[in-house]
Amino acid sequence: MQQLRRMKSEAALLIALCDIGGVWPVMRVTQALTDLAVASVQCALRYLLRQEAARGRLKPPSVERPEDGSGLVVLAMGKMGAGELNYSSDIDLIVFFDSAAPTLAPDIEPQPFFVRVTQGLSRLLQQRTGDGYVFRVDLRLRPDPASTPVAISTASALHIYEREGRTWERAAMIKARSCAGDAKAGEVLVAEIAPFVWRKHLDFAALTDVHDMKRQMQTFRGQSEIAVEGHNVKVGRAAFARSNSSRKPSS
């Protein structure tokens, strides 16, 4: 995938020139970097699925778009899902698959197949070569990552979210969006996850979890007090003060 690495480098350079030259505002820059990541994931996944089709393991309606109807869904999480990637960001992905994927060959088991494709996707994007790498990939935001494979069936994922889903997973899913794979299956999956994310009611346990997450962030950054004036709700007062001081002209 030499061409993909070179494309990423050239696109990142052009984006940086627009950024440094003041041609694009910061949100346009982060969106362009996100679009670059999405295109990279889509290209790498299409390349892998075409290989599987050539080996007879996948029988897509169109070899040009083997992801259509595959039941494979790649969700972009975090900054990528929100269109906020920066130059050094890794990309957070969760890969789901339909156990009854209609385009798989009859003798192919879905889970080993999609796990292998996901591992190949991660390797293509982050393996370092003479042309560098494309993006670092983090697959650990999937449900129960310690005991689930890197690609998880949609049925299993929905069951885990319903029975064991935690508050931080709900918060993470707010930014999630389908970025590659079977587009129709991705839309269905996001709709099915929505009731888990947007609960009608918050119980006391959920509110306690929110307070605990915020407290952990403050402890990690060495903050013990909250002052309303000059306080950044996400990163706290110290980071806000530093960012403001860096903007002040020297006397």
Side-chain angles (χ1 to χ4, degrees):
M1 296 294 283
Q2 183 184 61
Q3 291 180 339
L4 185 59
R5 283 165 169 74
R6 290 184 176 178
M7 179 274 289
K8 190 262 180 161
S9 297
E10 291 175 5
L13 175 59
L14 290 173
I15 294 169
L17 289 173
C18 291
D19 185 8
I20 296 170
V23 179
W24 287 349
V26 64
M27 293 308 297
R28 180 67 183 89
V29 171
T30 58
Q31 185 60 59
L33 290 168
T34 303
D35 293 341
L36 175 59
V38 170
S40 299
V41 174
Q42 291 174 345
C43 289
L45 182 61
R46 185 170 295 173
Y47 170 80
L48 291 168
L49 293 179
R50 282 177 179 171
Q51 286 188 325
E52 297 296 341
R55 297 185 182 111
R57 297 171 183 160
L58 194 70
K59 301 185 180 298
S62 169
V63 179
E64 294 301 313
R65 295 182 58 86
E67 66 274 16
D68 291 346
S70 66
L72 178 63
V73 177
V74 182
L75 284 192
M77 308 292 291
K79 291 182 180 179
M80 184 177 178
E84 299 172 347
L85 285 184
N86 58 50
Y87 296 103
S88 63
S89 295
D90 59 1
I91 56 176
D92 297 306
L93 305 175
I94 305 181
V95 180
F96 302 92
F97 66 88
D98 181 359
S99 298
T103 61
L104 276 183
D107 58 337
I108 301 298
E109 288 290 329
Q111 181 170 306
F113 175 84
F114 288 114
V115 166
R116 184 172 64 252
V117 169
T118 303
Q119 291 170 337
L121 176 66
S122 177
R123 186 167 52 251
L124 275 178
L125 292 173
Q126 64 183 356
Q127 188 175 42
R128 293 179 181 272
T129 69
D131 296 296
Y133 66 97
V134 188
F135 285 96
R136 299 186 307 277
V137 179
D138 191 341
L139 298 169
R140 294 173 296 175
L141 288 182
R142 66 186 184 275
D144 196 7
S147 58
T148 56
V150 291
I152 184 171
S153 73
T154 53
S156 296
L158 290 171
H159 177 75
I160 293 173
Y161 284 138
E162 181 181 355
R163 296 289 299 273
E164 306 170 20
R166 289 167 287 183
T167 302
W168 73 263
E169 289 177 302
R170 291 188 177 91
M173 276 292 172
I174 292 174
K175 295 183 178 181
R177 68 183 180 97
S178 177
C179 70
D182 189 337
K184 291 183 179 179
E187 292 177 3
V188 172
L189 177 61
V190 171
E192 290 179 332
I193 293 177
F196 162 73
V197 179
W198 306 106
R199 298 173 61 185
K200 290 184 178 180
H201 307 287
L202 285 177
D203 53 31
F204 287 109
L207 293 174
T208 300
D209 285 344
V210 173
H211 285 297
D212 287 343
M213 287 190 291
K214 182 59 178 173
R215 192 176 300 112
Q216 288 175 20
M217 291 170 62
Q218 292 169 342
T219 301
F220 178 78
R221 300 190 64 88
Q223 301 163 357
S224 58
E225 296 181 358
I226 295 179
V228 175
E229 184 180 358
H231 186 83
N232 184 301
V233 71
K234 180 179 180 181
V235 298
R237 184 176 178 81
F240 182 88
R242 283 196 301 270
S243 64
N244 271 359
S245 62
S246 65
R247 296 173 187 170
K248 294 179 181 178
S250 57
S251 56

